[in-house]
Amino acid sequence: MSNASHTALDLPDEIARRRTFAIISHPDAGKTTLTEKFLLYGGAIQMAGQVRAKGEARRTRSDFMQMEKDRGISVSASAMSFDFGHYRFNLVDTPGHSDFSEDTYRTLTAVDAAIMVIDGAKGVESQTQKLFEVCRMRDLPILTFCNKMDRESRDTFEIIDEIQENLAIDVTPASWPIGVGREFIGCYDILNDRLELMDRADRNKVSESVKINGLNDPKLAEHVPAELLEQLKEELEMARELLPEFDREAFLEGSMTPIWFGSAINSFGVKELMDGMGDYGPVPQVQTAQPRSISPDEKKVMGFVFKVQANMDPKHRDRVAFVRLASGHFKRGMKLTHVRSKKPMAISNPVLFLASDRELAEEAWAGDIIGIPNHGQLRIGDTLTEGEDIRVTGIPSFAPELLQSVRSGDPMKSKHLEKALMQFAEEGAAKVFKPAIGSGFIVGVVGALQFEVLASRIELEYGLPVSFGQSQFTSARWVTGPKAKVDAFVSVNQQHISHDHNGDIVYMTRLQWDIDRVERDYPDLTLSSTRELMV
């Protein structure tokens, strides 16, 4: 979705109060903990589960796969909806691990803004940079949260400089930390002229706020030790000279990010960040589509599938399509046209998510994310409308970086394996290729950890042990061009040809030389490593 046009649309209040955003970060920056605290403040859960805690306390609400619970990492994007004050937040938690970046890239097509979490000690890390680039391509407004300020962290100016240099974006402080590490006592809220004090004793307690009247207010001295107060005044004076003031227009265009400082694990700085998202974040935006864009204020319901998750509930072999509503007021039981098949679908059991918990959605508005249980009709990239032939564009699919052959532990269950692989391919968890010559399948993923996740899920969800092994191929490219030329190419390159789960032709390569040869000998054909899921 291109957010370049942050036009002031005249939206119904129900749509205008929606804030749909993703949380992105490098692994271990504290993204899942921050998500938990958002749910806590939104009244959606009573106690936050800590990712690294023991036993039951460890079961964080936004991680539902067994492997996520065992390892304490998020490997699939989950969506959560809850109210926060006047606002309705639709929060999408994304995998921080780079092995799952494709799921994250697709998720960023379904949101209007992003919160970037960085670690106060480590600053901007490689995965943060990659995800930021995707946000930049989409002109997404970004709010930054510098986490773990209660641990030894870097100088505040140094952190801001690094973000400005590495990410080429203006940074404006929304708050300023007082002290660092053990000395960290809270923040000065620049936007609201407030002192926020951290309570180290109770991690689930909202920080204490003291309303003050400027930096010379004598009340400051009652709460902040003299040395830290002196330092705060000096640093803020420098910040005012060196850094730009918050400009909402620049933020909405994606050229400026406000930064809040805090400690998610201590529930500190989180409420201010949420207030920032509510007060300054974008309303639901115009969605790019063919043959025309979709505006959120349109009366008719339109939405698109950006994620499919199978077996969220292991007791029922269910598949849930995550649908971002782009326009209209959806009501349960509505009939929507599935644009790819041109068939009507009665949406009788749509769900709203609170991570792995779900409730029946009686209604939803543009900006919301609903789940539609289905038996495989809905795929990533599908558009649902009230009859109009319109297709949402811009949802990416990437060629896998790693390829392996797959074998079932039980040769009698090869049909079961095929079913499991096709399901994961449709879910977007892996690419599955069926070679034109020979039997078996080749599985492609973006990162090695995905093979472990697949093996674990196939065993858990299908009771089928599998093993992955070396493949003779190293990369895959989609083949497009005039039909006659493609047919001629396929007939003489059978040993390199496979089909993906959509039946599209894929050229499997061993060396870069294979790609160079095709580009030289078949100038009419295109070999693509990325394609848009517009089905």
Side-chain angles (χ1 to χ4, degrees):
M1 175 170 36
S2 170
N3 283 49
S5 59
H6 281 275
T7 44
L9 296 164
D10 187 16
L11 296 174
D13 187 55
E14 269 304 330
I15 296 176
R17 75 184 191 95
R18 259 70 187 161
R19 298 288 181 272
T20 304
F21 59 96
I23 299 189
I24 60 172
S25 80
H26 193 84
D28 276 345
K31 178 172 56 65
T32 303
T33 308
L34 182 65
T35 303
E36 290 288 305
K37 297 301 167 114
F38 268 47
L39 296 179
L40 187 71
Y41 284 133
I45 58 173
Q46 302 312 303
M47 189 181 129
Q50 288 150 22
V51 175
R52 300 204 183 282
K54 290 184 182 147
E56 276 311 299
R58 175 178 188 154
R59 304 282 177 253
T60 59
R61 292 302 178 99
S62 58
D63 289 346
F64 58 78
M65 271 188 211
Q66 192 57 44
M67 188 170 188
E68 295 181 302
K69 291 171 182 170
D70 294 344
R71 288 195 180 205
I73 58 167
S74 301
V75 297
S76 76
S78 35
M80 288 147 273
S81 298
F82 55 95
D83 286 319
F84 176 68
H86 163 70
Y87 300 104
R88 177 70 169 174
F89 279 5
N90 295 305
L91 181 164
V92 186
D93 183 25
T94 60
H97 203 288
S98 60
D99 285 10
F100 301 93
S101 50
E102 186 165 353
D103 197 18
T104 303
Y105 293 150
R106 279 199 295 262
T107 298
L108 291 172
T109 63
V111 297
D112 303 307
I115 290 175
M116 175 169 72
V117 185
I118 60 173
D119 182 320
K122 294 175 183 166
V124 177
E125 296 173 85
S126 57
Q127 184 62 8
T128 321
Q129 194 141 2
K130 267 193 196 169
L131 293 168
F132 176 84
E133 290 306 326
V134 180
C135 295
R136 165 61 52 84
M137 278 167 13
R138 311 185 57 68
D139 296 321
L140 281 179
I142 293 173
L143 297 85
T144 302
F145 183 69
C146 185
N147 194 19
K148 306 189 183 181
M149 294 305 292
D150 57 322
R151 302 187 191 175
E152 287 315 314
S153 58
R154 290 169 36 195
D155 173 73
T156 310
F157 284 104
E158 202 183 304
I159 292 167
I160 290 174
D161 278 352
E162 186 177 306
I163 297 170
Q164 293 194 138
E165 275 178 38
N166 286 13
L167 305 180
I169 190 169
D170 288 332
V171 180
T172 181
S175 71
W176 199 268
I178 305 169
V180 72
R182 285 201 194 112
E183 302 265 283
F184 180 69
I185 62 162
C187 282
Y188 176 66
D189 179 342
I190 295 171
L191 296 176
N192 299 298
D193 204 17
R194 276 194 309 235
L195 183 65
E196 305 291 347
L197 299 169
M198 186 171 85
D199 185 336
R200 283 179 187 259
D202 186 352
R203 286 181 158 176
N204 286 333
K205 192 175 167 192
V206 181
S207 56
E208 182 195 341
S209 274
V210 182
K211 186 76 187 151
I212 55 172
N213 189 15
L215 280 172
N216 296 318
D217 192 324
K219 265 194 284 187
L220 272 170
E222 295 169 28
H223 299 280
V224 182
E227 198 179 307
L228 288 178
L229 183 54
E230 197 51 46
Q231 188 185 345
L232 172 70
K233 287 180 176 178
E234 267 177 38
E235 288 183 353
L236 276 174
E237 201 173 311
M238 279 173 68
R240 287 201 170 120
E241 281 179 28
L242 298 171
L243 299 169
E245 271 186 45
F246 178 64
D247 173 347
R248 186 168 185 228
E249 222 28 65
F251 157 65
L252 289 175
E253 284 166 5
S255 62
M256 170 182 277
T257 178
I259 184 168
W260 282 262
F261 294 85
S263 163
I265 204 156
N266 286 299
S267 303
F268 183 77
V270 177
K271 183 177 175 299
E272 292 68 42
L273 177 65
M274 292 173 80
D275 285 336
M277 176 58 81
D279 296 344
Y280 308 115
V283 298
Q285 292 296 301
V286 171
Q287 178 68 47
T288 54
Q290 285 295 337
R292 63 176 189 83
S293 295
I294 303 167
S295 180
D297 57 352
E298 291 179 34
K299 293 280 186 282
K300 290 200 168 173
V301 172
M302 287 179 240
F304 64 96
V305 179
F306 67 93
K307 175 184 171 65
V308 174
Q309 182 71 54
N311 305 338
M312 281 175 83
D313 179 354
K315 294 187 202 73
H316 306 102
R317 282 229 180 280
D318 66 345
R319 294 161 59 101
V320 176
F322 286 67
V323 173
R324 155 75 194 241
L325 291 178
S327 66
H329 179 198
F330 169 84
K331 295 189 181 79
R332 182 160 85 92
M334 276 182 111
K335 273 205 165 108
L336 294 177
T337 300
H338 179 222
V339 174
R340 175 167 52 87
S341 68
K342 311 251 187 303
K343 289 181 181 164
M345 281 181 82
I347 316 293
S348 47
N349 294 307
V351 290
L352 280 173
F353 300 101
L354 175 54
S356 54
D357 304 334
R358 22 171 144 162
E359 58 182 55
L360 220 48
E362 291 301 334
E363 62 169 1
W365 296 79
D368 283 337
I369 290 167
I370 60 171
I372 300 180
N374 68 100
H375 296 291
Q377 303 97 306
L378 292 175
R379 293 188 202 158
I380 293 167
D382 276 352
T383 305
L384 294 168
T385 71
E386 283 192 66
E388 188 176 345
D389 187 358
I390 187 168
R391 291 157 193 254
V392 165
T393 58
I395 300 173
S397 180
F398 301 95
E401 292 171 22
L402 301 167
L403 296 169
Q404 290 197 354
S405 61
V406 59
R407 237 172 251 101
S408 162
D410 180 348
M412 303 302 287
K413 289 194 171 171
S414 59
K415 275 276 170 248
H416 285 69
L417 176 62
E418 181 171 348
K419 188 178 170 194
L421 290 175
M422 286 305 156
Q423 177 187 291
F424 291 130
E426 283 169 16
E427 193 182 298
K431 300 285 185 296
V432 175
F433 304 112
K434 180 94 179 79
I437 294 175
S439 59
F441 292 92
I442 294 168
V443 175
V445 295
V446 175
L449 187 56
Q450 280 179 289
F451 286 124
E452 283 183 54
V453 171
L454 283 175
S456 147
R457 285 187 63 191
I458 292 170
E459 183 152 10
L460 273 170
E461 295 168 21
Y462 290 86
L464 189 60
V466 296
S467 59
F468 288 98
Q470 206 71 43
S471 161
Q472 57 171 318
F473 299 112
T474 57
S475 71
R477 295 288 183 268
W478 286 285
V479 182
T480 51
K483 188 176 182 314
K485 303 272 186 187
V486 171
D487 291 346
F489 170 73
V490 166
S491 68
V492 295
N493 288 281
Q494 283 288 308
Q495 72 281 17
H496 283 271
I497 299 298
S498 287
H499 290 85
D500 68 9
H501 74 285
N502 286 323
D504 292 333
I505 294 165
V506 179
Y507 177 66
M508 312 295 283
T509 74
R510 296 188 184 96
L511 305 162
Q512 180 61 36
W513 182 85
D514 291 327
I515 295 174
D516 296 341
R517 178 184 68 85
V518 174
E519 287 174 350
R520 185 188 68 229
D521 296 350
Y522 297 89
D524 297 326
L525 300 185
T526 305
L527 298 182
S528 314
S529 59
T530 310
R531 63 195 304 224
E532 198 172 282
L533 287 169
M534 190 176 115
V535 287

